[in-house]
Amino acid sequence: AGLIITYKWNASTKVYEEQLTIAPEQDGSTSIANWNFGWETALAEPTENSVLSTTPKYLFVTAPGHNLNTGAVFLYKWADNDDSTAWALTTTLTSDDADAGQRFGHSIAVNDNADIVAISSKNPATAGKVEIFKRTSENSFVHRQTLTGVSADGSSNDTQFGHSLGMSNDGTTLIVSAPGLDDGVVTNTGAVYYYRWNDQSSSETYTLKQTIKLPNTGINNLSFGSTIKLNKTGDRLLIGAQSFSTPTEMNFDFGATTFDLQDTAIVEKNKSSGATFTATKYNSEFVIDDKLTTTTLSTDDRFGSGLAVNDNVVLVGSSHDDALSTDGSTIQVDRGSITVYDYKTKGSYAWK
């Protein structure tokens, strides 16, 4: 069914302590089995300096398996006073065009004030869609718009539109990934879409401003957009491509050899080693300005499977990286790793 556990930071001991457990509540639709409650979460707080007692706080919990994979999103509100410290369920959001199997709640993004919410539905039988909701009162939302991954020719091929979402703090910037998009004869190359809220006086809707693709790759199955992460101000974007193959080269026989008078090189393709691309907004569009990898990438590391970013630091997860044990004695298969990149040079957008 799923479960949410919240933790509270202890400033004295410098550790997180378990605080509350949130379990799905039976609503009579179906058994709570297979709800996938907690598939994704999104927390909305009113200010960057929010503390435990700052209100209002909103917690969105998705359950794409709810009601035979129709999907639902549960909204909890934080109550913090002398008598109560808990998340109270206030609202359940459902698709404006609900259908069994669509898995509404695959991904979610929300602005700081919790008044703009983007929720995707994704299953292999459809192109995918993202629904936009606007909060009209404390606990009420209205459906404002549906963004779809259906192509101009009406094709409903599985582009995985809405696989990952990102939103700026103020909600003006929305990023939607479609890692399954085909580019001509190149399959699953992927794309990322940038939308702008209330652009050119549009009435509480998003307008597509840019489609971001990797230039001139011609390579199948890159899955560009398998993960995305947008910083708070909405001007710096991380784009993961877990299926990207980053080759490594090893040289030996340095100097002259009997047949070519050169070093001998062996290139390992490192299929699905992964890569992460950074994009920065210049004026009104994002420009891809860096590719992040490591010198230790190997086949199926899935570098870029997890991402985090602020103005000065990027963290990239590699969920299937083979890494040394804590004591350094053995290599543990698929242990995973995190690589930290620092924004070093003022006026430059290179990460080191």
Side-chain angles (χ1 to χ4, degrees), residues 87-326:
W87 290 101
L89 178 63
T90 60
T91 306
T92 300
L93 298 176
T94 57
S95 172
D96 189 59
D97 185 23
D99 186 26
Q102 75 177 35
R103 292 187 63 81
F104 174 82
H106 175 82
S107 190
I108 186 170
V110 60
N111 68 341
D112 273 1
N113 293 325
D115 53 9
I116 306 174
V117 186
I119 304 171
S120 72
S121 299
K122 187 179 84 76
N123 70 61
T126 64
K129 64 181 180 181
V130 177
E131 296 181 69
I132 309 302
F133 296 84
K134 184 75 167 60
R135 183 160 61 89
T136 55
S137 63
E138 185 174 1
N139 300 316
S140 298
F141 290 79
V142 295
H143 178 271
R144 294 296 307 163
Q145 183 182 17
T146 298
L147 309 172
T148 67
V150 176
S151 61
D153 62 2
S155 169
S156 60
N157 291 335
D158 180 20
T159 64
Q160 301 181 51
F161 182 85
H163 180 72
S164 189
L165 303 175
M167 186 182 290
S168 59
N169 276 11
D170 59 7
T172 56
T173 297
L174 173 67
I175 305 295
V176 180
S177 80
L181 182 73
D182 298 341
D183 189 2
V185 297
V186 183
T187 60
N188 294 325
T189 184
V192 172
Y193 302 92
Y194 158 43
Y195 294 86
R196 184 81 180 170
W197 179 257
N198 277 350
D199 185 64
Q200 298 177 352
S201 301
S202 63
S203 179
E204 295 191 332
T205 57
Y206 281 105
T207 301
L208 178 64
K209 301 296 292 181
Q210 183 185 4
T211 300
I212 307 169
K213 296 181 180 180
L214 279 180
N216 303 320
T217 60
I219 303 173
N220 293 318
N221 302 317
L222 294 179
S223 298
F224 180 73
S226 53
T227 50
I228 58 173
K229 184 64 69 174
L230 183 70
N231 70 342
K232 293 180 179 181
T233 53
D235 56 7
R236 184 161 290 164
L237 175 65
L238 300 183
I239 306 170
Q242 294 181 47
S243 298
F244 191 94
S245 297
T246 300
T248 54
E249 181 176 301
M250 179 179 67
N251 292 314
F252 63 98
D253 286 343
F254 298 103
T257 64
T258 58
F259 57 92
D260 63 3
L261 302 181
Q262 300 292 330
D263 298 347
T264 300
I266 295 178
V267 177
E268 171 61 52
K269 290 184 177 180
N270 293 330
K271 185 177 180 181
S272 296
S273 52
T276 294
F277 298 85
T278 66
T280 304
K281 187 189 289 182
Y282 297 90
N283 296 322
S284 60
E285 290 195 343
F286 285 92
V287 176
I288 296 176
D289 47 25
D290 209 350
K291 181 178 79 170
L292 306 181
T293 60
T294 73
T295 58
T296 60
L297 284 179
S298 58
T299 298
D300 202 34
D301 276 356
R302 303 184 193 178
F303 182 82
S305 54
L307 303 172
V309 60
N310 63 20
D311 289 337
N312 299 306
V313 176
V314 164
L315 287 82
V316 181
S318 183
S319 60
H320 284 55
D321 185 24
D322 299 341
L324 286 173
S325 59
T326 304

